[in-house]
Amino acid sequence: MKIQKFGGTSVGSPQRMKDVVNLVRKNERSLVVLSAMSGTTNSLLEIADYYAKGNKDSASVMIAKLHAKYNQHIDELYSTSEAKDKTRQFLDGIFTKLLSYSKSAFTPQMQKEIVSFGEIMSTNMVANYFNEIGVKAVLINAFDFMRTDKDKEPDLHYLSEHIKPLIETNNDAQYFITQGFICLNHEDEIDNLQRGGSDYTASLIGAALKADVIEIWTDIDGMHNNDPRYVDNTSPVHQLYFEEAAELAYFGAKILHPTCVLPAKAACVPVKLLNTMEPEAEGTTINNAFLPHAIKAVAAKDNITAIKIVSSRMLLQTGFLRKVFEIFETFHTPIDMVTTSEVGVSMTIDNTDYLANIVDELKKYGTVEVDKEMCIICVVGDLRSENKGFESKITNALRNLPIRMISYGGSNYNISFLIQQADKQVALRALSEELF
Ligand code: ADP
Ligand code: ASP
Ligand code: MG
């Protein structure tokens, strides 16, 4: 079985939905994971935000606008009145539900329900289109197999146990369609896998079903060697090692959800990044082959906060680092980069929900400095110590910028720099010029 995930722009208009169906039909069998139509998740979050602020009028104005847009999509997508009526009835139900949130006090759980409607609508529309053109495609509901556990991690065992029977009972179906992004939590409440999480859904399903390949179809021809939103003349990287792709996704390459490579890697299922607008382009294959002596790509992760603690007590002391790291653990805040010296340690975080608590605790052990609006620049490729000379090329590219931290040697595939966010574009461009 092949898994094919289509992102927001790939299902962003009625014509794009038809294109997706044509691409899917080139395969004998596949399981199709869909995102919400582009813009819909943002609109739904805005509607939820109006409700949260008690502004029901603006919520209903936005709901009416979105409803009108979907009604127009229905008219353009289907040619039979049967398919139009069936889809309209389903979507009317969703929009009535959206309006019904005005009747009670708004809760954070309602936001999760509201944002789930995007993928529920897009999958319903595409499934009905398949059926209108006479191709048997079965819509399977992500809430029936995609769950997170107490630690908010996807429950792989549950997924595997519940998705296989759904496929077996529909053994004659060529195509299966499901929602990316959305899931239930361990208390059976509606939840999601965070923004961009449809990639993660596809990878988790691909791993559970031991798929032949997981195809991520998007609006660009694969992973580029630098961020195309900030650098001109980037080019696609045709092959990446799993670890390299994981580092790039984690450190800001938006084409992939940060954790989406991990399940595929664990199950040894290759991932392909392909362009819906240019289906013949080679794209990027992510697999277990490691190409030595090559720098593959550069990525950047914004909104990073650096925390430095300096203490004379660290000198020749054991247990100091443990105390520092325990503070981050207590406040459920992962650390991205670490550098140490004889008297101090610098760390970066991107979740600042507990920054004040962390700083309060750290102050018990030393002098604390916090730098906000920082950015991690990450260079990925063969950075094993025996591959000489790349580090100096990289630092040479950044020679005119103030660098706050450098992290090297933690993995064989990455070197990271912490710089000010304002210098991000200059840094990315300089690296492209020097390296590619
Ligand atoms: P989808 O809606 O299909 O999930 P996304 O917007 O999440 O698509 O991801 C695709 C976008 O990722 C591209 O349009 C591009 O702007 C951005 N992007 C950022 N870094 C990279 C990179 N290194 N290579 C390719 N695309 C990248
Ligand atoms: N629709 C969700 C989002 O916009 C999930 C996804 O597209 O992957 O974040
Ligand atoms: Mg995405």
Side-chain angles (χ1 to χ4, degrees):
M1 176 88 83
K2 181 187 256 197
I3 313 298
Q4 296 184 290
K5 176 260 168 175
F6 294 91
T9 33
S10 301
V11 290
S13 69
Q15 186 53 48
R16 291 266 162 83
M17 285 188 172
K18 291 182 187 179
D19 296 343
V20 162
V21 171
N22 286 331
L23 278 171
V24 171
R25 290 185 66 195
K26 290 187 178 154
N27 303 281
E28 231 159 71
R29 210 159 187 241
S30 75
L31 189 150
V32 178
V33 176
L34 300 181
S35 292
M37 296 180 80
S38 56
T40 297
T41 304
N42 286 343
S43 300
L44 291 170
L45 283 171
E46 217 177 317
I47 289 165
D49 197 41
Y50 278 126
Y51 276 136
K53 296 192 164 78
N55 185 349
K56 294 173 186 174
D57 291 344
S58 295
S60 81
V61 169
M62 278 210 70
I63 293 168
K65 256 197 210 158
L66 197 63
H67 197 172
K69 189 165 123 185
Y70 272 81
N71 274 333
Q72 196 186 334
H73 289 327
I74 292 173
D75 281 332
E76 288 169 30
L77 181 58
Y78 307 103
S79 41
T80 62
S81 52
E82 230 179 307
K84 285 184 194 187
D85 291 346
K86 188 175 166 199
T87 313
R88 193 163 286 130
Q89 213 177 1
F90 182 83
L91 296 193
D92 283 351
I94 300 267
F95 283 98
T96 307
K97 184 108 206 284
L98 268 175
L99 287 167
S100 75
Y101 289 102
S102 65
K103 295 192 188 114
S104 47
F106 197 74
T107 65
Q109 180 51 34
M110 290 175 180
Q111 191 231 45
K112 302 264 176 76
E113 289 170 26
I114 289 176
V115 82
S116 76
F117 293 144
E119 273 71 11
I120 292 175
M121 293 196 288
S122 65
T123 45
N124 183 274
M125 289 166 78
V126 170
N128 288 347
Y129 181 70
F130 264 109
N131 293 329
E132 181 183 52
I133 61 171
V135 178
K136 179 154 188 212
V138 176
L139 180 57
I140 56 174
N141 192 345
F143 295 142
D144 291 337
F145 52 83
M146 195 57 76
R147 269 171 74 115
T148 50
D149 59 21
K150 296 193 294 313
D151 302 319
K152 299 184 178 173
E153 292 296 330
D155 186 337
L156 280 170
H157 180 72
Y158 187 93
L159 164 60
S160 189
E161 294 277 289
H162 287 77
I163 197 167
K164 284 177 187 160
L166 289 174
I167 291 179
E168 277 154 21
T169 49
N170 290 295
N171 224 352
D172 58 330
Q174 264 184 294
Y175 306 114
F176 294 89
I177 301 168
T178 194
Q179 303 86 14
F181 176 60
I182 62 177
C183 62
L184 295 182
N185 66 16
H186 71 288
E187 286 173 324
D188 282 336
E189 295 162 330
I190 292 179
D191 208 332
N192 61 62
L193 302 173
Q194 313 288 330
R195 292 307 303 268
S198 296
D199 301 336
Y200 199 19
T201 304
S203 178
L204 290 163
I205 294 177
L209 296 179
K210 297 263 179 291
D212 304 316
V213 59
I214 299 159
E215 293 180 350
I216 308 281
W217 289 85
T218 180
D219 59 359
I220 186 163
D221 55 347
M223 176 76 79
H224 278 220
N225 57 10
N226 207 327
D227 194 323
R229 294 168 298 177
Y230 301 96
V231 180
D232 296 329
N233 303 319
T234 58
S235 45
V237 181
H238 295 308
Q239 189 272 338
L240 284 169
Y241 184 46
F242 278 124
E243 269 82 354
E244 292 173 327
E247 303 260 16
L248 287 168
Y250 187 74
F251 286 109
K254 189 194 172 224
I255 186 170
L256 278 178
H257 180 273
T259 50
C260 119
V261 181
L262 303 178
K265 181 188 147 202
C268 272
V269 179
V271 178
K272 281 189 153 205
L273 309 179
L274 295 158
N275 187 351
T276 339
M277 268 72 84
E278 210 187 315
E280 304 309 327
E282 182 179 341
T284 301
T285 301
I286 303 166
N287 58 20
N288 240 332
F290 178 61
L291 183 73
H293 310 301
I295 294 293
K296 297 287 191 62
V298 179
K301 187 172 174 182
D302 287 332
N303 295 318
I304 301 293
T305 298
I307 304 166
K308 176 156 53 181
I309 169 162
V310 175
S311 168
S312 51
R313 276 193 270 169
M314 185 172 163
L315 198 65
L316 302 175
Q317 278 260 337
T318 56
F320 180 81
L321 284 177
R322 179 175 53 76
K323 278 185 211 144
V324 167
F325 291 150
E326 264 173 8
I327 292 169
F328 289 82
E329 191 184 341
T330 306
F331 293 106
H332 304 285
T333 302
I335 297 169
D336 283 331
M337 274 174 86
V338 186
T339 55
T340 64
S341 79
E342 201 183 359
V343 291
V345 47
S346 271
M347 292 143 295
T348 70
I349 58 172
D350 76 339
N351 179 350
T352 51
D353 291 353
Y354 297 101
L355 178 63
N357 309 66
I358 290 170
V359 170
D360 274 353
E361 285 299 312
L362 286 174
K363 279 182 174 165
K364 294 178 184 162
Y365 300 99
T367 313
V368 181
E369 261 175 52
V370 174
D371 290 312
K372 295 184 180 167
E373 289 176 33
M374 307 296 285
C375 164
I376 296 176
I377 301 279
C378 164
V379 181
V380 164
D382 183 2
L383 286 154
R384 294 172 302 167
S385 55
E386 55 266 43
N387 196 17
K388 287 174 277 188
F390 277 123
E391 298 79 14
S392 58
K393 274 182 101 167
I394 295 164
T395 44
N396 187 43
L398 301 176
R399 66 187 176 279
N400 292 325
L401 295 176
I403 295 174
R404 166 77 166 74
M405 284 166 74
I406 301 180
S407 174
Y408 173 70
S411 102
N412 283 334
Y413 314 103
N414 141 355
I415 180 165
S416 308
F417 297 83
L418 187 73
I419 60 169
Q420 284 163 22
Q421 202 153 290
D423 293 330
K424 167 173 141 174
Q425 187 157 22
V426 173
L428 289 176
R429 288 182 174 172
L431 284 165
S432 256
E433 265 177 39
E434 183 82 29
L435 297 172
F436 307 122

